[in-house]
Amino acid sequence: MWLSLFPFLKLCYNTLMDIWTSLGAFAFFESERLSFRPLIFSDRFDLHEIVSNPQNLRFFFPSTKTQLETDCLLVHYFMKEPLGVWAIEDKKSHKMIGCIRFEKIDLNRSSAEIGYFLNQQFWGQGLMTESLKNLCFLSFQEFGFKELHVIVHGENLASQRVAQKSGFKLKQRFKGSDRYTRKMRDYVDYQISKGDYRYE
């Protein structure tokens, strides 16, 4: 049994810290006003406050109707595979106010797509920009990514502003099928590369 681990351990040593080890090492981190950590089951009520409000989710996934639906969403979408998924917690209130996560990781291209949402009560304070900037810093300095993407609906101007304020540039516009409604919608792809990244 232990012998079967040797090739795996050798790979880890040869690559120093692979992406998953790095994500594990930074499961917890902080910014000026926020704490970032894995989601836990006791976040269920704060999450329900967010995901049961359709205004929070106009461009994401369908809102939940009951606490049970939220609990299922919490466990299967946020807790089941925790690496690369962070709850955003307000330091003052210790309230879970949103989430930021890697939606897609392409190890061959050293790239990732980032998704995020925030409780409507905390909009307009620059908190999502603060979150994205800090994750970008870790992505390039610690995780070894060379390129990051934020892909949002064309009408989601608030998320586009967050990407722009975080240094992302518009790469392309395209049409695609919404993963939930299956309707064709307009999307925009914002991108930032390690060479263009500037931490402020």
Side-chain angles (χ1 to χ4, degrees):
M1 176 180 169
W2 291 108
L3 290 175
S4 65
L5 289 175
F6 289 159
F8 170 74
L9 292 174
K10 184 177 180 181
L11 173 65
C12 287
Y13 293 146
N14 288 341
T15 58
L16 296 178
M17 291 182 71
D18 70 338
I19 176 63
W20 304 110
T21 307
S22 298
L23 287 171
F26 287 92
F28 296 82
F29 66 95
E30 294 185 354
S31 64
E32 181 181 353
R33 295 176 291 175
L34 303 167
S35 297
F36 302 85
R37 56 165 176 78
L39 281 89
I40 54 179
F41 197 68
S42 58
D43 289 324
R44 57 196 295 258
F45 301 117
D46 288 339
L47 183 63
H48 186 65
E49 182 179 315
I50 298 171
V51 301
S52 62
N53 178 359
Q55 289 303 310
N56 280 313
L57 303 173
R58 285 179 57 212
F59 307 106
F60 300 100
F61 43 79
S63 58
T64 60
K65 303 297 183 184
T66 67
Q67 183 66 58
L68 183 60
E69 289 178 349
T70 298
D71 293 349
C72 187
L73 176 72
L74 170 63
V75 172
H76 288 276
Y77 192 65
F78 297 104
M79 291 180 64
K80 193 173 181 180
E81 297 179 1
L83 292 181
V85 182
W86 293 270
I88 302 171
E89 183 178 294
D90 175 53
K91 282 185 176 179
K92 288 184 178 180
S93 64
H94 300 290
K95 181 181 182 69
M96 196 281 284
I97 62 172
C99 179
I100 189 165
R101 62 177 292 155
F102 290 121
E103 295 287 348
K104 296 177 183 176
I105 293 177
D106 186 333
L107 297 178
N108 293 324
R109 298 180 59 186
S110 298
S111 68
E113 180 185 333
I114 299 174
Y116 43 80
F117 61 82
L118 190 69
N119 189 322
Q120 187 180 20
Q121 297 178 20
F122 292 83
W123 291 1
Q125 302 177 40
L127 296 175
M128 204 68 254
T129 301
E130 183 177 323
S131 300
L132 183 55
K133 283 184 175 181
N134 278 270
L135 185 55
C136 286
F137 175 80
L138 289 177
S139 295
F140 293 133
Q141 299 300 316
E142 302 292 343
F143 302 154
F145 287 122
K146 296 179 181 177
E147 183 179 281
L148 299 172
H149 294 262
V150 171
I151 298 176
V152 299
H153 291 105
E155 64 268 37
N156 189 351
L157 301 181
S159 284
Q160 292 184 52
R161 284 194 293 270
V162 168
Q164 292 164 0
K165 290 178 181 178
S166 301
F168 287 72
K169 303 297 182 185
L170 180 63
K171 180 184 179 183
Q172 65 172 329
R173 299 178 184 273
F174 64 95
K175 288 188 177 293
S177 175
D178 185 279
R179 71 177 82 173
Y180 300 106
T181 66
R182 304 300 180 192
K183 294 180 180 179
M184 293 300 292
R185 301 184 69 168
D186 294 319
Y187 289 88
V188 289
D189 179 0
Y190 282 84
Q191 175 187 316
I192 189 170
S193 64
K194 184 175 182 178
D196 294 332
Y197 175 75
R198 299 290 181 272
Y199 182 75
E200 300 175 1

